[in-house]
Amino acid sequence: MHPFDSAIALEQVADGLARGRTQPEWANMVGPFGGVTAATLLRAAEQHPERQGAPLSLTINYLAPLVDGEFDITARPVRTNRTNQHWTLELAQDGEAKTTATAVFGVHRDTWTDTEATPPTAASPEDIPATGFGEFVVWVRNYEMRFVEGAIPGPDDGPSPTSTTTLWVRDGRGRALDHAALAAVSDIFYPRTFLRRGQFVPSGTISMTTYFHASVDELATVGDDYVLGTARANRFSAGYFDQSGQLWSRAGQLLASTHQLVYFKG
Amino acid sequence: MHPFDSAIALEQVADGLARGRTQPEWANMVGPFGGVTAATLLRAAEQHPERQGAPLSLTINYLAPLVDGEFDITARPVRTNRTNQHWTLELAQDGEAKTTATAVFGVHRDTWTDTEATPPTAASPEDIPATGFGEFVVWVRNYEMRFVEGAIPGPDDGPSPTSTTTLWVRDGRGRALDHAALAAVSDIFYPRTFLRRGQFVPSGTISMTTYFHASVDELATVGDDYVLGTARANRFSAGYFDQSGQLWSRAGQLLASTHQLVYFKG
């Protein structure tokens, strides 16, 4: 099984209760990569027998780091409307809540369409070396990353005047993109504090919200191709900053908008 | 009592259970203005005896419209860490869930600070007429609104090529800004579909997330002065669009970043 599919695999143990297990391939500095936890919570709703429609939004709150081992996810479809469905989710270990989430699923309808945002200018991924983040966390080895702008700073880089990072990213083993994978990629950006300060700064995501624009068919068209991700911070103060990002297909479709609030020290 | 304070007033009826009542002054097309519901949920956490710190983030999901009358809010502090606290909230009427939310509160610490986003260019509010939205919904009468760009389209305006609205907004009766009021102002922007289509389009917020940068002291400095709000959509398709906005003080402080996913027809 692909390591991403192992990481988000859930066994249904009771009505609305699913059990999974952390995987060493997804280790972050403390606990697993937050993106894979987001993907796992989304998957819990996706595979629930009452699920209707495709993911429209996901908000995940990181209460405490997961420890290695099993976790339980409760997924509750709080309300099902004609065209959308609202979920609350909670991930716990040994009865202790580690992550909470809400999600909205919905039906895609044929309407007026326009993309007002514009993708960042970027050379082709084939013309940019695959550098990743270096070796400081394990989970990055699952992705192929080619930085257009704002790669993780090296010891001689110093502070950057802007917090923008733009990169091409795809699964390192050619797994095709789906909504769970897109939820994970939403959290692909290393902390903006590293870039602005030109050094490692203790930082961690507190809450992340992703709006999924792409339908199942649109993601199938992307397949295993690169996604162009871009993110920047708005304000850093009092130990927190917020980040806004976008995930684009190579063909110029805005697949998702993603936002997060991050804690930092120093 | 000020109408905003009446609207968000909650009576503690049991441990973690508070009761409020919709107010006719805040009526929207169907149910109350979503911003005042967001403010009421935030207030339920704020006035909970176990609350620690100030609001950092709020995500609210609109499951179904409220009907006129009483509502119950359950507020649960799921986890309290050293510097932050995670909440789940649910608003129900007659036992039926109408709104769910998660919130994070936290301690503000003395850290490196920088605002990377820039406020929109705008004339002084004193130099712009107060126009509001016209008379089509009741709640707008509670605010004084002066549009810098992207006022609600009139019958002869036609479609706009961009979805950006920028406006000065303040409470119409001089109530000072606090986090609850800031949560309400996060939802001040009429649907971006109206502007892009140049006409009324059935639209409704599904989920809204606000990141609060401003501390209690910063909001006290703003007092009853105008806030400069700006918002635009990223992508409209398949019956949904996402909007990203910012709320600035006149002094150029980014008070909050706010994002939402909106349903539309046609």
Side-chain angles (χ1 to χ4, degrees):
Chain A
M1 199 186 268
H2 187 286
F4 185 76
D5 292 299
S6 303
I8 67 170
L10 293 169
E11 179 199 356
Q12 217 62 36
V13 292
D15 190 29
L17 179 68
R19 183 161 298 155
R21 168 175 279 279
T22 62
Q23 301 294 329
E25 292 89 341
W26 293 92
N28 205 349
M29 298 196 66
V30 182
F33 169 46
V36 87
T37 305
T40 310
L41 283 156
L42 190 71
R43 177 53 52 94
E46 283 184 321
Q47 73 171 40
H48 191 288
E50 291 172 42
R51 190 261 304 169
Q52 288 188 19
L56 298 179
S57 79
L58 174 71
T59 294
I60 172 165
N61 303 291
Y62 299 97
L63 281 58
L66 273 68
V67 295
D68 291 342
E70 287 189 341
F71 53 82
D72 287 334
I73 297 178
T74 50
R76 181 166 71 102
V78 183
R79 187 177 182 103
T80 302
N81 293 315
R82 206 168 45 80
T83 61
N84 63 46
Q85 185 175 53
H86 287 264
W87 293 83
T88 62
L89 302 124
E90 187 168 310
L91 183 154
Q93 288 187 307
D94 284 329
E96 188 186 345
K98 298 291 181 77
T99 325
T100 60
T102 59
V104 186
F105 281 61
V107 176
H108 288 96
R109 288 163 293 116
D110 193 23
T111 61
W112 176 75
T113 179
D114 185 67
T115 299
E116 203 170 316
T118 49
T121 306
S124 295
E126 290 77 8
D127 295 335
I128 300 170
T131 50
F133 280 2
E135 295 295 304
F136 88 107
V137 282
V138 170
W139 67 265
V140 298
R141 296 177 201 156
N142 295 300
Y143 292 103
E144 193 185 307
M145 300 187 198
R146 298 170 187 265
F147 284 87
V148 177
E149 182 187 357
I152 201 161
D156 302 324
D157 286 333
S160 162
T162 84
S163 68
T164 301
T165 283
T166 301
L167 80 164
W168 291 104
V169 57
R170 67 175 177 183
D171 182 88
R173 293 173 189 82
R175 182 185 183 280
L177 196 65
D178 55 15
H179 284 100
L182 197 57
V185 173
S186 295
D187 198 29
I188 202 78
F189 308 96
Y190 67 86
R192 308 293 84 208
T193 36
F194 292 18
L195 192 54
R196 289 301 310 278
R197 306 292 280 158
Q199 61 185 44
F200 173 82
V201 177
S203 307
T205 303
I206 296 176
S207 184
M208 177 170 76
T209 290
T210 297
Y211 300 131
F212 300 96
H213 291 294
S215 65
V216 170
D217 289 351
E218 240 177 295
L219 294 182
T221 305
V222 175
D224 64 356
D225 197 9
Y226 294 92
V227 165
L228 182 63
T230 189
R232 62 170 288 193
N234 292 306
R235 175 177 163 179
F236 303 83
S237 67
Y240 308 96
F241 73 88
D242 68 321
Q243 168 187 297
S244 283
Q246 295 173 340
L247 303 176
W248 295 86
S249 72
R250 197 197 288 240
Q253 290 167 307
L254 181 61
L255 304 174
S257 302
T258 182
H259 310 284
Q260 56 178 268
L261 184 74
V262 183
Y263 159 99
F264 72 95
K265 255 186 171 165
Chain B
M1 200 187 267
H2 187 286
F4 185 76
D5 292 300
S6 304
I8 68 170
L10 293 169
E11 179 199 355
Q12 216 63 35
V13 292
D15 190 30
L17 178 68
R19 184 161 297 155
R21 168 175 279 278
T22 62
Q23 302 293 330
E25 292 90 341
W26 293 91
N28 204 350
M29 299 198 64
V30 181
F33 169 47
V36 89
T37 305
T40 309
L41 283 155
L42 190 70
R43 178 51 54 94
E46 283 183 321
Q47 74 172 40
H48 191 288
E50 291 173 41
R51 189 261 304 168
Q52 288 188 18
L56 298 178
S57 80
L58 174 71
T59 293
I60 173 164
N61 304 290
Y62 298 97
L63 280 58
L66 273 67
V67 295
D68 293 341
E70 287 189 342
F71 54 81
D72 287 333
I73 296 178
T74 50
R76 182 166 69 102
V78 184
R79 187 178 183 103
T80 302
N81 293 315
R82 203 167 46 82
T83 60
N84 64 45
Q85 185 175 52
H86 287 264
W87 293 83
T88 63
L89 301 126
E90 188 168 309
L91 183 154
Q93 288 187 306
D94 283 330
E96 189 186 344
K98 298 291 181 78
T99 324
T100 59
T102 58
V104 187
F105 281 61
V107 175
H108 288 96
R109 287 163 294 116
D110 192 25
T111 61
W112 175 75
T113 179
D114 185 68
T115 299
E116 203 169 318
T118 50
T121 305
S124 295
E126 289 77 9
D127 295 335
I128 300 171
T131 51
F133 280 1
E135 294 295 304
F136 88 106
V137 281
V138 171
W139 67 264
V140 299
R141 297 176 202 157
N142 295 300
Y143 292 102
E144 193 185 307
M145 301 188 197
R146 297 170 186 267
F147 284 87
V148 177
E149 181 187 358
I152 201 161
D156 302 325
D157 286 333
S160 163
T162 84
S163 68
T164 301
T165 282
T166 301
L167 80 164
W168 291 105
V169 57
R170 66 174 177 184
D171 181 88
R173 292 171 189 83
R175 182 185 183 279
L177 195 65
D178 56 15
H179 284 99
L182 197 58
V185 172
S186 296
D187 198 29
I188 202 78
F189 308 96
Y190 67 86
R192 308 295 82 210
T193 36
F194 292 17
L195 191 54
R196 289 300 311 276
R197 307 292 278 157
Q199 62 184 42
F200 173 82
V201 177
S203 308
T205 304
I206 296 176
S207 184
M208 177 170 76
T209 290
T210 297
Y211 300 131
F212 300 97
H213 290 294
S215 65
V216 170
D217 289 350
E218 242 177 294
L219 294 182
T221 305
V222 175
D224 65 355
D225 196 11
Y226 294 93
V227 165
L228 182 63
T230 188
R232 63 170 290 193
N234 291 305
R235 177 177 162 178
F236 303 82
S237 68
Y240 308 96
F241 73 87
D242 69 320
Q243 168 187 294
S244 282
Q246 296 172 341
L247 303 175
W248 295 86
S249 71
R250 197 198 286 239
Q253 289 167 307
L254 181 61
L255 304 174
S257 302
T258 181
H259 309 284
Q260 56 179 268
L261 185 75
V262 183
Y263 159 99
F264 73 96
K265 255 185 172 165

